[in-house]
Amino acid sequence: MAGPRVVIIGAGVVGAALADEISARGWTEVTVVDQGPLPATGGSSSHAPGLVFQANPSKTMTELARYTVEKFCSLDVDGQPCFLQVGGLEVATTPERVTELHRRHGWLTAWGVESRILTADECVEKHPLVNRDRVLAGLHIPTDGLAKAVLAVEAQIRRATERGVTFLARHEVLDVLQADGEVTGVRTDQGDLAADIVVCCAGIWGPRIARMVGMNLPLTPLGHQLAWTGPVPALAGQTQEAVRPILRHQDADLYYRDRHDTLGIGYYGHRPMPITADEILSVDEADTMPSVLKFTEDDFADAWTETQSLLPATKDAKVEEGINGLFSFTTDGLPLLGESPDVKGFWVAEAVWVTHSAGVGRAVAEWLVDGHCSSFDLHECDVNRFEPHQLSPEYVLARDCQNFVEVYDILHPLQPSGDPRPIRTTPFHARQQELGAFFLEANGWERPHWYEANAPLVEGRSIVTPNDWAARYWSPIVGAEAQTTRETVAMYDMTALKRLEVSGRGAADFLERLCTGKVAKSVGSVTYTLLLDHDGGIRSDITVARLAPDVFQVGANGNLDLDWFTRHLPADGTVQVRDITPGTCCIGLWGPLARDVLQPLTDEDFSATGLKYFRAKRAHIGSVPVTAMRLSYVGELGWELYTTADLGQKLWDTLWRAARPLGGIAAGRGAFNSLRLEKGYRSFGTDMTYEHDPYEAGVGFAVKADKEDFVGKAALERRAADVRRKLTCLTIEDPRAVVMGKEPVYDGQRAVGHVTSAAFGYTIGKGIAYAWLPAELTAPGTTVHIGYFDQRVEAVVAEEPLFDPAMSRLRG
């Protein structure tokens, strides 16, 4: 036996996959417990219809699904295959859906999965039951198919068992045992199991298990309708379980699958049917299984009417059985993976459907055994990504139900979130409302994207309206605000960016250990630096300002940075980390006239020598005490000005009165994004993630190789000599061809990369797109094409930054 003692709670498709993957990596002192029988334990895996569609806007989710397909194709149980690779077909019955299929085809191409847009006739050839008069086009993915979930569970149980893993059926978990903040075991109704690591793969019961260690899991089980027809005469004689592609009719929230001469019909168009984990019946109490609720025929009526229209052959059949099966939904539609922030050794692998199950099993196994996941970028799946308000019961229920309703909707990248809203408002909110701010949400914050008060600035400017898709949640005011920032001065609300305070006598050494740059410099220094994982991948890019010998302010990217710092705190109590975001606020005052606004308001010297670029100091702006940092994310002269939340409105009013006579404005996120791309500034989570290293991402300058050591240094040194891809700046001449991100990039007919961030550059007069490309295609002047819906947009590799390469405006 090897490895630590591991107990996995839940032997469904996720728990079985994890047991298989972790034992294949040499950890065999593993016990898997489940309250139900094996291999059909009674959870979601036991009733799941098994349709595996790989198309997803998330690269990570597509890659998890692709691995699941590949693995399941290799599994069988006594000759019975665990995957029927019949392909997947998504059909469009509206022009809007046709356009959406082209976007989805773009995702698949960008993520490396084969797919093709079909004509209506080709759709009928693939699936002869489809009504030719209803269908306009289709998207075919040949590697999609049907996962036989229970068989896959059994196959992986067998493999893990051969390596020494123990599976215990009919063991109900009563408690997770712990001591001194660490797990010690699991208590079941048949005795205790000692453990160094406990992984919760309990699915719809996950919130109940997590609560045993005080963990709030933002997951809601919701009922989802699945019905089966009786024999369909047109399918008579079909001996194989499935011969047609799995089918999605997303315009009506429907999907379909073969089962010999019958059809399975899944429906998301009904009302949300949430239930709590505590309300789910036990294995012995449930009539069929705990995850199956009674079918509600009234909710299915519209689905059956639409089915008979799309698939006319079903008019000769009837619905003979149905269930409301429970599945896990989360607030952002993504899984919950990782270790508890409070109880060491308690891990979760939750809100995972069959589609992604084997991929998640591999990812979590790598994470546990190696200390990091090398196969997948898991930053958007980490359970510790949430802000505190995102864990409130009201928020979780509302957003989980919303995700159920929207599961097949056409969602724009900037589409506003639903209720509850607003949640977090900055001290400037009232003033922004007075200026007609158009708000979108960022981590719960109401953040202006433009201000209607600036509409007069559009007059006389040549601001081209982009294509229809890019023009949603956009206004020409965005362009006017961007240009005005370059011409005079603008105030930007930067409060939504997370701020951490790191303090204590060990703070400098602590940060030196985690950061790639030297941050233990003189008081007043500000450093742009990176956090790396142990494999050399980028975990975050941050700014670190030394405000006192033992006090640092960190400009972070989100809650995962706080979690990373907290996990690395020394045990001796010499370092404290706290989130100061809620009690503070920030205005970015930027533009060539920024000093003319600020200097008359203070006795401190804000000249080019009085406060140099990337320096900070405390000062009073009028009557408001601030921490001023000479930074600019838009590439213009200016400062980030921080104060406490109670003084935020006073700071806004003070700056506003001084800026207005100089032509100053308030500007929003739309302008901000355009300006930062003109300057070539990266956005973590979009342009670069855990899977990228600094040299690929173009931020190698933030690595001080002569530092004695920092987390990830050794691994990064091994990666440095082999840069095969680069984050690359592209420009687009066509002013209407503004892409949005996640589109494939082609070299001829070959897909070679994908777009990360994009916007129109209102200063340079061109579209801008950053993209990951092979190193050999990144020479300036190289022409590539971006796949934008059904178009190919010509783009040219450009030197960066596109604006002010000499940095004269920033340093002036």
Side-chain angles (χ1 to χ4, degrees):
M1 307 292 278
R5 297 167 300 177
V6 179
V7 172
I8 298 171
I9 301 173
V13 74
V14 180
L18 177 56
D20 179 37
E21 296 283 345
I22 202 171
S23 60
R25 286 162 176 77
W27 283 17
T28 54
E29 197 167 346
V30 178
T31 302
V32 185
V33 298
D34 200 291
Q35 62 185 339
L38 299 176
T41 62
S44 300
S45 303
S46 301
H47 73 256
L51 288 81
V52 174
F53 288 95
Q54 296 166 84
N56 197 290
S58 164
K59 181 173 183 282
T60 296
M61 295 298 279
T62 296
E63 290 176 340
L64 292 170
R66 179 168 56 197
Y67 180 79
T68 301
V69 168
E70 292 169 355
K71 182 176 183 179
F72 282 10
C73 282
S74 71
L75 299 178
D76 72 89
V77 175
D78 301 330
Q80 299 179 77
C82 294
F83 196 80
L84 306 178
Q85 201 158 42
V86 293
L89 177 63
E90 302 182 8
V91 295
T93 59
T94 63
E96 294 78 13
R97 186 66 64 174
V98 173
T99 303
E100 172 72 355
L101 292 186
H102 282 285
R103 185 167 70 127
R104 298 173 70 80
H105 171 62
W107 296 338
L108 288 161
T109 304
W111 313 148
V113 176
E114 179 189 355
S115 66
R116 189 167 71 89
I117 297 292
L118 303 184
T119 66
D121 289 335
E122 289 173 320
C123 291
V124 176
E125 288 176 16
K126 291 289 183 185
H127 202 300
L129 298 189
V130 169
N131 183 351
R132 171 63 180 81
D133 294 336
R134 290 292 315 281
V135 175
L136 302 178
L139 173 64
H140 182 241
I141 307 97
T143 52
D144 285 351
L146 285 167
K148 307 290 291 179
V150 175
L151 282 179
V153 168
E154 185 172 357
Q156 291 175 104
I157 285 176
R158 289 186 182 186
R159 285 163 43 131
T161 301
E162 290 174 358
R163 301 187 193 106
V165 174
T166 300
F167 286 81
L168 301 176
R170 292 287 186 172
H171 279 61
E172 182 182 357
V173 172
L174 304 178
D175 199 5
V176 176
L177 307 177
Q178 51 188 302
D180 300 321
E182 299 184 20
V183 298
T184 59
V186 171
R187 175 156 295 159
T188 78
D189 58 352
Q190 298 190 45
D192 293 352
L193 301 168
D196 305 301
I197 294 172
V198 174
V199 187
C200 178
C201 303
I204 53 179
W205 291 277
R208 191 173 78 190
I209 300 297
R211 201 163 59 238
M212 295 175 181
V213 297
M215 189 176 184
N216 189 353
L217 208 60
L219 180 159
T220 303
L222 281 111
H224 162 54
Q225 290 200 318
L226 176 66
W228 293 96
T229 70
V232 179
L235 304 181
Q238 180 176 317
T239 57
Q240 292 178 264
E241 179 178 348
V243 297
R244 279 162 289 279
I246 55 176
L247 179 66
R248 276 208 278 211
H249 176 25
Q250 292 172 290
D251 284 319
D253 297 305
L254 286 160
Y255 64 79
Y256 305 92
R257 56 151 296 178
D258 290 12
R259 188 177 68 180
H260 302 291
D261 63 348
T262 69
L263 286 177
I265 306 168
Y267 186 44
Y268 287 105
H270 56 80
R271 60 191 169 89
M273 304 177 188
I275 187 173
T276 69
D278 293 328
E279 293 173 310
I280 301 171
L281 297 176
S282 69
V283 173
D284 294 327
E285 291 174 324
D287 292 336
T288 305
M289 62 182 75
S291 61
V292 169
L293 305 181
K294 184 179 179 181
F295 187 63
T296 48
E297 294 183 6
D298 289 347
D299 289 306
F300 194 72
D302 291 343
W304 183 234
T305 299
E306 180 63 25
T307 295
Q308 291 176 307
S309 175
L310 182 74
L311 308 174
T314 58
K315 293 179 180 178
D316 298 321
K318 62 180 181 178
V319 175
E320 290 198 349
E321 57 179 307
I323 63 170
N324 288 344
L326 293 175
F327 287 96
S328 301
F329 280 78
T330 61
T331 57
D332 57 9
L334 294 165
L336 307 172
L337 312 178
E339 188 179 19
S340 161
D342 302 313
V343 179
K344 185 177 180 181
F346 183 82
W347 289 67
V348 299
E350 288 291 349
V352 181
W353 293 3
V354 173
T355 299
H356 310 101
S357 58
V360 166
R362 177 174 180 173
V364 176
E366 290 179 352
W367 200 349
L368 287 167
V369 175
D370 302 330
H372 59 86
C373 177
S374 57
S375 296
F376 310 97
D377 163 33
L378 297 180
H379 86 274
E380 60 186 5
C381 302
D382 194 313
V383 70
N384 297 296
R385 64 189 180 270
F386 300 102
E387 295 291 326
H389 74 272
Q390 294 172 320
L391 299 176
S392 70
E394 178 191 39
Y395 182 94
V396 170
L397 180 60
R399 291 293 171 90
D400 289 358
C401 289
Q402 179 183 339
N403 279 326
F404 177 89
V405 171
E406 294 179 345
V407 70
Y408 280 174
D409 286 1
I410 299 172
L411 300 176
H412 191 275
L414 296 178
Q415 186 159 321
S417 55
D419 291 333
R421 189 181 171 208
I423 297 176
R424 307 172 87 179
T425 55
T426 75
F428 324 128
H429 188 69
R431 298 293 185 256
Q432 292 165 344
Q433 287 179 308
E434 292 168 3
L435 294 172
F438 177 81
F439 292 101
L440 295 176
E441 185 188 34
N443 283 329
W445 293 101
E446 294 296 315
R447 184 165 64 183
H449 271 241
W450 69 82
Y451 295 87
E452 288 296 330
N454 293 326
L457 296 175
V458 176
E459 187 175 349
R461 299 178 185 271
S462 179
I463 299 172
V464 179
T465 300
N467 58 80
D468 291 346
W469 185 249
R472 294 189 189 184
Y473 312 109
W474 174 89
S475 166
I477 298 171
V478 168
E481 290 179 356
Q483 292 176 356
T484 302
T485 303
R486 297 266 190 243
E487 296 161 359
T488 58
V489 63
M491 294 164 52
Y492 287 83
D493 182 354
M494 303 300 291
T495 304
L497 299 182
K498 198 169 195 67
R499 294 170 293 286
L500 308 176
E501 182 184 85
V502 181
S503 60
R505 58 186 173 86
D509 291 340
F510 170 75
L511 288 168
E512 284 291 318
R513 170 68 179 150
L514 293 181
C515 296
T516 61
K518 184 170 178 56
V519 298
K521 297 184 290 191
S522 61
V523 172
S525 65
V526 183
T527 305
Y528 174 82
T529 186
L530 307 173
L531 304 177
L532 302 185
D533 212 329
H534 298 280
D535 65 348
I538 301 170
R539 284 196 64 96
S540 189
D541 66 333
I542 61 175
T543 55
V544 179
R546 192 170 200 174
L547 303 182
D550 293 341
V551 179
F552 296 80
Q553 182 171 312
V554 175
N557 280 298
N559 214 56
L560 292 181
D561 292 345
L562 174 61
D563 182 66
W564 185 252
F565 280 164
T566 303
R567 291 181 189 281
H568 287 84
L569 285 173
D572 61 7
T574 57
V575 184
Q576 295 80 45
V577 177
R578 66 188 184 102
D579 182 359
I580 61 172
T581 312
T584 57
C585 58
C586 178
I587 295 175
L589 181 71
W590 295 315
L593 301 184
R595 186 173 286 119
D596 298 306
V597 172
L598 194 64
Q599 188 61 77
L601 300 174
T602 179
D603 293 333
E604 294 288 336
D605 184 2
F606 277 86
S607 68
T609 54
L611 185 60
K612 295 180 179 179
Y613 187 52
F614 264 81
R615 297 289 296 180
K617 67 178 175 182
R618 291 192 166 112
H620 282 85
I621 306 302
S623 58
V624 180
V626 302
T627 298
M629 298 187 194
R630 180 82 187 278
L631 308 177
S632 173
Y633 207 48
V634 300
E636 291 291 339
L637 169 68
W639 300 266
E640 293 178 358
L641 302 171
Y642 298 89
T643 191
T644 52
D646 59 320
L647 293 170
Q649 184 169 297
K650 181 64 174 177
L651 177 62
W652 179 282
D653 291 344
T654 301
L655 294 172
W656 183 252
R657 283 193 299 268
R660 287 302 291 156
L662 300 176
I665 62 168
R669 188 71 180 182
F672 176 92
N673 197 47
S674 171
L675 296 169
R676 70 103 178 164
L677 287 176
E678 288 183 330
K679 195 60 184 168
Y681 292 145
R682 277 65 169 144
S683 174
F684 178 80
T686 302
D687 298 317
M688 54 190 186
T689 66
Y690 293 2
E691 67 175 302
H692 306 117
D693 70 47
Y695 305 111
E696 297 172 327
V699 289
F701 64 86
V703 178
K704 301 304 178 187
D706 58 351
K707 281 188 66 172
E708 183 175 338
D709 197 17
F710 52 81
V711 172
K713 181 182 180 183
L716 183 60
E717 289 172 346
R718 293 191 294 269
R719 296 172 65 155
D722 188 27
V723 176
R724 301 183 182 183
R725 59 183 176 177
K726 291 183 178 180
L727 184 62
T728 307
C729 179
L730 304 175
T731 58
I732 302 166
E733 291 292 337
D734 183 352
R736 282 185 52 80
V738 176
V739 301
M740 299 291 292
K742 301 187 177 182
E743 297 89 357
V745 180
Y746 294 90
D747 176 32
Q749 296 303 309
R750 180 174 63 109
V752 292
H754 67 273
V755 173
T756 58
S757 296
F760 190 79
Y762 297 100
T763 310
I764 65 168
K766 296 180 181 180
I768 307 169
Y770 272 78
W772 282 100
L773 295 178
E776 64 270 18
L777 293 177
T778 59
T782 302
T783 298
V784 293
H785 289 82
I786 299 171
Y788 190 60
F789 295 96
D790 59 346
Q791 307 166 23
R792 294 290 177 91
V793 176
E794 184 176 287
V796 178
V797 176
E799 292 272 12
E800 58 172 335
L802 298 169
F803 177 78
D804 189 25
M807 305 280 283
S808 59
R809 295 172 76 101
L810 277 170
R811 298 181 183 276

